[in-house]
Amino acid sequence: MMGCNGLFTDTPAQAFLDRGATAVISWDKDASASHTDEATERLIQLTALEGLTPEEAVARAADQVGPDPAFGAQLAVLTGK
């Protein structure tokens, strides 16, 4: 859920987990479109091409792209574990 504040609360993400998703990655508050695009591209590279787990990919992407400069949003991951 790479739109704004998908993990501001766990409720929407939990609905995906309850229906079989293994993880939900999103922002903890509002994020700018350009920063979301950069983070999404990096997350796809880290998961699809490098084979990292969602937790590993979020940690690395967050370290590489940082928080959103306009709103301070942080990438977060919620897993069904």
Side-chain angles (χ1 to χ4, degrees):
M1 293 185 350
M2 292 312 294
C4 294
N5 63 40
L7 286 174
F8 180 72
T9 68
D10 292 351
T11 305
Q14 190 60 53
F16 284 105
L17 296 173
D18 290 346
R19 287 164 182 76
T22 57
V24 176
I25 299 169
S26 192
W27 299 101
D28 63 353
K29 56 181 148 183
D30 289 345
S32 63
S34 60
H35 199 70
T36 296
D37 290 348
E38 180 182 1
T40 301
E41 181 178 348
R42 190 66 191 124
L43 284 166
I44 291 169
Q45 291 170 343
L46 292 166
T47 56
L49 300 178
E50 296 185 30
L52 298 183
T53 68
E55 296 93 329
E56 293 167 333
V58 166
R60 191 170 303 166
D63 185 51
Q64 292 173 352
V65 302
D68 180 84
F71 300 102
Q74 300 276 349
L75 276 175
V77 60
L78 184 66
T79 62
K81 297 177 186 175

